Amino acid sequence: MADKKGPETWKEMNPGCMVFRPGSSREYHTGSWRAQKPVWQNEKCIKCGICYIFCPEGCIKEDEEGYFVADLNYCKGCGICAHECWPGAIKMVEED
Amino acid sequence: MSKRIGMEVAIAAAEAAALCRFDVAAVYPITPQSHVAEHLSDIVADGRIDAEFITVESEHSALSSAIGAAGTGARVVTATSSQGLMYMHEVLPIASAMRLPIVMIIANRAVSGPLNIWNDHTDIMHERDTGWISLFAQNGQEVVDMTIQAFKIGEHRDVMLPVNVNMDGFQLTHMVEPILMPEQEEVDKFLPAYKPYAMVHPDTPVSMGTLAMPEFYAEALKAKDMAMAASRKIIAQVWKDWEKQFGRKYEPIEAHRAEDAEVLMLTMGSMGETAEIAINELRKHGVKAGLLKLKLWRPFPFEELKKLTKNAKVLVVTDRAVSFGGPGGPVCGEVKAALYDEPNRPKIVNYLIGLGGRDLTISDFVDMMKRAAEATKKMPAEAYEYYGVRE
Ligand code: SF4
Ligand code: SF4
């Protein structure tokens, strides 16, 4: 569960497991699930933004030059970005 | 003062919800429905209360919309029956897990197949463990009263659970009964405006319907179960408030001539009224017969049942649903579990009756009571019997 702290006992559960702290899901690093990571080869990239749109984690960001990068704290390695990229600019490589 | 009127019970149920000033009704008019759906729609369309009626494409969406609406802090009512309730099933435990006090009016009916839309309790029995409070009405008056009570019970901060009000399909829903309909001011006094625990609003950010990993899931379920346990006290309190204001008494189990009874019968729903006449007949003939009418199905009134059955020799439990390959009807299974630790528990006989709208007369109940003593000798070889089935 990464470093996220939750309620200790059932009495500490908020009714309905409601969470009142906005943005708290950021503390859950889904990146720990990953077996492969996407690697961008920018020379092939046409900056269409498809990878950015399709990423189910919403963890792909555009950099200053208009290329795309994944935040590896949240990238779960699903490979959707690589599958959707038309020019084949993204390769999934094994994690060490 | 309440006015005595003649009204179809399903329509009266919708009127009771209107008296509670619901904000949203989300209902799908599937067959089988009852007039609750269309009358709720009429009430909103006529502008009688300031509410939204969400027209949805299915029962699954009806309850999902109800959850969404309740999440914004609305007082929400929905209604269904039989197959429709089964279609909602997936969403029922979510409503209770999210602790949203939605009220659902259910016209209890058989489920297919064989295809059948008549009255029994099969539909709600499938929903037993979804974390909803379940009230059972025996007549139109109780449907109206329980619908109003349901909002107050469910919305209490110690509870925050959805509540279903069960009324027998046809036997109640399609009957015109004399009903004391409370006045708006009376209901306003009984049921204050809904103050939600939380609501989805830009000023008060909240995540609802969250994920619970294995290290939290069990804690979440226990918290919900404890809310259900806590509801016993609140239900008793709401019923006491009701009695004080409206003069009609409600108990988890209504006992009729049970104090000195040797043979007791237990019923749920509208059959209680027929069974009561049968009990009175038997008493006239010197049989020490008594009746227990179960009004609260969840949370199950274990303590009340123990107290009321401790002097009886035989307890006849009637079930209007079947648990295939199980220990008998679902009500009987519960009753047996409740009494297992009692040193002087009565012998228990279980009849499966009134399935798929099969009619039951006073003499059927008399017959069941008379045969009960005989049936106990055969136990446990015949744990339950399909009463009146052609062999
Ligand atoms: S691998 Fe999946 S999660 Fe990771 S960046 Fe690509 S699409 Fe997003
Ligand atoms: S999908 Fe491929 S080509 Fe398009 S922006 Fe992403 S990496 Fe570049």
Side-chain angles (χ1 to χ4, degrees), chain A residues 38 40 51 54-57 59-60 70 74-82 92:
Chain A
W40 271 258
C51 54
F54 273 80
C55 173
E57 285 300 312
C59 71
I60 298 178
Y74 303 105
C75 165
K76 61 188 179 187
C78 65
I80 288 174
C81 51
M92 297 303 291

Side-chain angles (χ1 to χ4, degrees), chain B residues 108 119-121 124-125 135-140 142-143 146 166-169 171-172 177 252 254 266-276 291-297 318 320 331 365:
Chain B
N108 296 120
N119 169 219
D120 73 24
H121 295 163
I124 187 61
M125 289 302 149
L135 308 175
F136 260 87
Q138 70 167 330
N139 54 39
E142 290 192 358
V143 169
M146 284 177 172
N166 293 275
M167 57 176 169
D168 284 324
Q171 259 85 337
L172 290 182
E177 290 194 9
E254 185 188 314
L266 185 132
T267 61
M268 266 198 332
S270 62
M271 286 186 318
E273 297 205 327
T274 318
E276 189 174 320
L291 180 64
L292 305 177
K293 297 172 184 171
L294 191 56
K295 305 268 177 83
L296 184 61
W297 172 234
T318 60
R320 304 196 66 183
V331 178
F365 287 100

Side-chain angles (χ1 to χ4, degrees), chain A residues 1 5-10 13-22 28, chain B residues 97-99 160 197-198 205-207 210 213 215-216 219-220 222-223 226:
Chain A
M1 267 309 297
K5 249 187 83 73
E8 282 297 319
T9 69
W10 68 267
M13 303 292 289
N14 281 338
C17 298
M18 289 179 209
V19 176
F20 293 97
R21 202 155 46 83
Y28 183 37
Chain B
M98 291 173 70
R99 306 288 297 277
M160 294 198 279
Y197 170 76
V206 57
S207 300
T210 52
M213 304 287 266
E215 53 268 52
F216 295 121
E219 280 70 18
K222 172 145 185 176
M226 290 299 107

Side-chain angles (χ1 to χ4, degrees), chain A residues 1-69:
Chain A
M1 267 309 297
D3 53 355
K4 186 172 174 5
K5 249 187 83 73
E8 282 297 319
T9 69
W10 68 267
K11 288 180 196 139
E12 291 167 30
M13 303 292 289
N14 281 338
C17 298
M18 289 179 209
V19 176
F20 293 97
R21 202 155 46 83
S24 60
S25 64
R26 279 166 176 267
E27 290 162 26
Y28 183 37
H29 289 173
T30 47
S32 63
W33 303 356
R34 196 175 55 240
Q36 293 183 324
K37 65 177 173 197
V39 174
W40 271 258
Q41 297 159 276
N42 286 350
E43 59 280 9
K44 288 195 194 164
C45 175
I46 56 166
K47 298 182 177 175
C48 65
I50 287 286
C51 54
Y52 166 84
I53 289 166
F54 273 80
C55 173
E57 285 300 312
C59 71
I60 298 178
K61 268 194 250 158
E62 195 181 355
D63 66 15
E64 294 97 61
E65 294 167 52
Y67 292 113
F68 291 87
V69 284

